[in-house]
Structures are given as structure tokens and as C-alpha cells.
Amino acid sequence: MVPWPIRTVIIPSPIRTSIESHVATHHPDEAGGFLGCRRRGRHLRVTRHIPIPNESSIPKRRFETTVDERVPPPPRVFYHSHTSSESISGLTQIDKRSIPEPFALVIFAPHGNTLSYRGFKHGLLEWRELRVETESSTRLARL
């Protein structure tokens, strides 16, 4: 039996607060990490936030890290912030080529404050956008 495809990532308020604090604290460098999740039908519900240090040699423009024992088991979402107003609010071409995880979240925070959440799932050929919502099914800001 093949499960229904994931369509939505649900991020509870305390975890959103933790993510946004992590992004703001590391600004102007990009921040990132992983979100541990539980699958509920077509939804991934985030259950924990695991920030990971940015290992990039150009941290103001890229987020790079090593997947090791800090990372939760699947299903999980890799996230990173875009901190430059010159960056797009979604996946860049570099992101599309370099993210090995099946689920990704881009947090657009050009001045350290989160303005947008964009979720993505890697399909067979292309990345597809996912809805990102609160517990009450309200869609989070998307630019």
C-alpha cells in the first residue's frame, strides 16, 4: 500500500518561535537545521527543532552542514534561512542542486525577522511546493 503524498507541513507555535529566534540570533549569517516530524496522513507535523551550525565558508550567502547523529530520523525537514534581500524567498538553483533531503523549508528573513515560510518536497524530477501551516490550519506567510 502506497501512502498518500505529503501536501502540508504543520509547525506548532513554540517550534516556530524557536526557529525564528535561531534565525534572528544568527543574522546576518544564514541559519539552519532540521525539524523532526511525525507523519499524519498527508501532513508532516513538526515535533522538534534541531538547530545545526552553519559550516559554510560564506555563511552570509549559504548554509552548509554535515548530516550526522544530531539529525533526527525520517521523516524530517531540512530548513535554512535566506538573509539577503537579493535572495529569492524560495529555493535557489544552488539549493535545488545541493539539498539531498526530500523535504526542505526556506525561511526568508532578509533583516533577521522572518517574513516568509516556503515548504518543498523533492519529487522524481522537480521540487514541488508544500503548504506550511499552523496547528489551526492557517497558512503561514508566503512571499
Side-chain angles (χ1 to χ4, degrees), residues 88-91 104-108 116-120 129-130 132 139 141-143:
I88 62 169
S89 62
L91 290 175
L105 180 70
V106 175
I107 300 162
F108 186 57
S116 175
Y117 288 85
R118 300 276 303 271
F120 299 91
E129 189 161 358
L130 300 172
V132 181
R139 189 171 192 163
R142 178 197 174 278
L143 297 176

Side-chain angles (χ1 to χ4, degrees), residues 32-35 63 65 76-80 99 101 103-106:
F34 288 87
L35 304 173
F63 181 85
T65 193
R76 63 183 177 228
V77 175
F78 166 74
Y79 80 91
H80 72 291
I99 296 174
E101 297 292 323
F103 299 102
L105 180 70
V106 175

Side-chain angles (χ1 to χ4, degrees), residues 2 4 8 29 37 40 44 47 53 64 77 82 84 90-91 93-94 98 107-108 110-113 116 118 125 137 140:
V2 177
W4 292 101
T8 308
D29 291 351
C37 300
R40 299 283 186 200
L44 283 181
T47 57
E64 296 175 1
V77 175
H82 284 183
S84 168
L91 290 175
Q93 289 303 317
I94 292 171
S98 63
I107 300 162
F108 186 57
H111 304 290
N113 297 323
S116 175
R118 300 276 303 271
L125 302 173
S137 299
L140 292 171

Side-chain angles (χ1 to χ4, degrees), residues 21-32 54 56 58-63 80-85 87 107 109-113:
S21 175
H22 181 229
V23 168
T25 299
H26 286 82
H27 183 78
D29 291 351
E30 289 196 10
N54 188 346
S56 174
I58 50 172
K60 289 177 179 33
R61 298 191 45 82
R62 291 196 50 165
F63 181 85
H80 72 291
S81 61
H82 284 183
T83 57
S84 168
S85 56
S87 296
I107 300 162
H111 304 290
N113 297 323

Side-chain angles (χ1 to χ4, degrees), residues 33-37 46-52 67-78 101:
F34 288 87
L35 304 173
C37 300
V46 178
T47 57
R48 62 188 181 129
H49 170 220
I50 302 96
I52 305 285
V67 176
D68 58 22
E69 70 280 346
R70 300 170 292 184
V71 176
R76 63 183 177 228
V77 175
F78 166 74
E101 297 292 323

